[in-house]
Amino acid sequence: MRKFVSILIFGVFLFAEVSCIEENPNKLCYIKVQLLYPEDSGFGPVAGVEVKAVNVHNLRSYSGTTDENGNAIVRAITGRYAFYITESRTLHGSAYFFDGFKAQVDIPNNYDKKPFVVTIDMSASAGTKQVIIKEVFLGSNYYITSSGLSQPDKYLLLYNNSTIDADLTNLCIAMTIPYDSHTPNADVVDGKLSYENAGHVPAGHGFWTWQEGHAPILKPGEEIAVVISEAINHTLVCPHAVDLSKGKYHVMYDPESGYNDPSYYPTPSEAIPSSHYLKAYKYGKGNVWPISETSPALFIFMTPEGVTPRSFFEDTSNENFYNNISSEKRKWVPAEWVLDACEIFTAGYVGKNNKRLITSVDGGSVVLYSNLGFSIYRNVDREATQAIPENYGELFISAYYDGTASFAEGSTDPTGIDAEHYIWRGARIIYMNTDNSGKDFHQRQGPSLLMCK
């Protein structure tokens, strides 16, 4: 999912125009600072970037803040300085960090008022995806209704895995066609997806996003629960089920879109405000979003600047019919729009499961035993989590017992860290994100929302 982001190399030039009284070294000088960004970088001047100058002799610090044109004024006495700039930004669902440093910059006492130029090369990190899929839950076991076994308490958790607030505006939730991994896949030709090298993935039947003006902002380490169907208290019917009626949850509910089967989309709990209802863009046939209960390939994507979820939906040039079947309409989503994905295979079908997401989006798969109430949960990035200063003192010694490694095709978090336990204790968790579901996820014995969240 980093394919649309290449490592950015920034040359940033810091121009300082200094004027001061030559005979009085303690006189404050006005240093005019301008940050210049290459036109092809994708970034330009912005207000609010701090430029810091530290006197290397007395360690006194002076700073200025850029205006909307990238200009800042730093007032400092003459002397030798080290300049520092640290900046972070978000673009298309990714976080970028910029650092600049230059030492041994002399501002002389006898400065003659000609432009004084300091050049600083800014180093930039590669874009880090902010929002990831933390958990996929496709229904509880032993949920018996008048029509038999049912799994209506489905949800997924989205998580801000970065250190910058994440704006979910234009973030969309989609799944592939074919819906199940173990069914014959007409897209597989000679053991390979026919669109493997095409740079896009199929969004089947329809996709979901937030209502205009109601997209949430996720702070670092925050999660959001998206109810896939039946945002009600399921424990009233089955004590082993999940209560999806809480007011903080968001729900896929948009009857006007055509997803209006009342048995699948009952009116959500009164505790959930209508502003938490997601908007659907439907182009497939039928009145439900037919997510697989055994093995969906889910992904989240964000439309770039100039493209909205609605305009993407209305653009017919990106449409395709799976296996030329008119009822199996899907849309091609550029791989560089994809923020995260989770490819789930059905347990018990070794050699018969097929990939639906191209390697550049998701290079692996995680197995799920269906109808047992298991969830697919993200693995912890141990090194990144333990490096967080706020986590200092957390030893991560509690054993993790919720994995399913005892099953023939089961799995568990290889770090042995009980993420939910430490979140409950106040730790900040960083999760794995290698663009490979086999490395990033494991099968959990039960949904994390049962932990009284």
Side-chain angles (χ1 to χ4, degrees), residues 224-372:
I224 188 170
V226 177
V227 180
I228 296 174
S229 63
E230 302 194 36
I232 60 177
N233 186 357
H234 294 274
T235 64
L236 299 178
V237 177
C238 175
H240 303 285
V242 184
D243 180 359
L244 296 178
S245 67
K246 298 181 181 180
K248 62 183 177 180
Y249 296 165
H250 293 244
V251 55
M252 293 180 175
Y253 184 74
D254 184 11
E256 293 183 359
S257 69
Y259 292 139
N260 54 19
D261 183 337
S263 65
Y264 200 84
Y265 301 106
T267 302
S269 163
E270 293 181 357
I272 300 176
S274 60
S275 60
H276 285 199
Y277 297 172
L278 272 67
K279 168 69 179 173
Y281 289 103
K282 174 183 176 294
Y283 37 85
K285 292 185 178 181
N287 57 2
V288 300
W289 194 58
I291 184 172
S292 170
E293 292 185 344
T294 64
S295 51
L298 286 164
F299 62 97
I300 54 176
F301 68 93
M302 182 173 286
T303 57
E305 184 176 354
V307 181
T308 65
R310 175 177 289 278
S311 66
F312 174 67
F313 165 72
E314 293 175 345
D315 182 3
T316 59
S317 67
N318 57 36
E319 293 180 351
N320 170 266
F321 294 106
Y322 168 69
N323 203 23
N324 295 316
I325 302 172
S326 61
S327 62
E328 302 291 328
K329 183 182 287 188
R330 56 190 184 178
K331 284 181 172 288
W332 293 120
V333 177
E336 60 266 25
W337 291 10
V338 178
L339 302 182
D340 193 31
C342 181
E343 175 106 41
I344 302 174
F345 279 3
T346 308
Y349 285 83
V350 176
K352 297 181 180 179
N353 287 300
N354 291 297
K355 284 281 292 177
R356 291 148 294 174
L357 296 171
I358 61 177
T359 304
S360 64
V361 167
D362 191 327
S365 60
V366 59
V367 170
L368 174 67
Y369 279 84
S370 59
N371 300 318
L372 293 180

Side-chain angles (χ1 to χ4, degrees), residues 367-416:
V367 170
L368 174 67
Y369 279 84
S370 59
N371 300 318
L372 293 180
F374 295 160
S375 77
I376 297 300
Y377 190 90
R378 202 96 189 189
N379 294 334
V380 175
D381 185 329
R382 175 189 286 272
E383 182 178 351
T385 298
Q386 292 184 323
I388 297 175
E390 292 80 1
N391 289 342
Y392 181 77
E394 295 283 2
L395 299 179
F396 299 100
I397 58 175
S398 66
Y400 179 59
Y401 299 109
D402 286 334
T404 62
S406 58
F407 285 72
E409 294 181 75
S411 56
T412 191
D413 189 328
T415 68

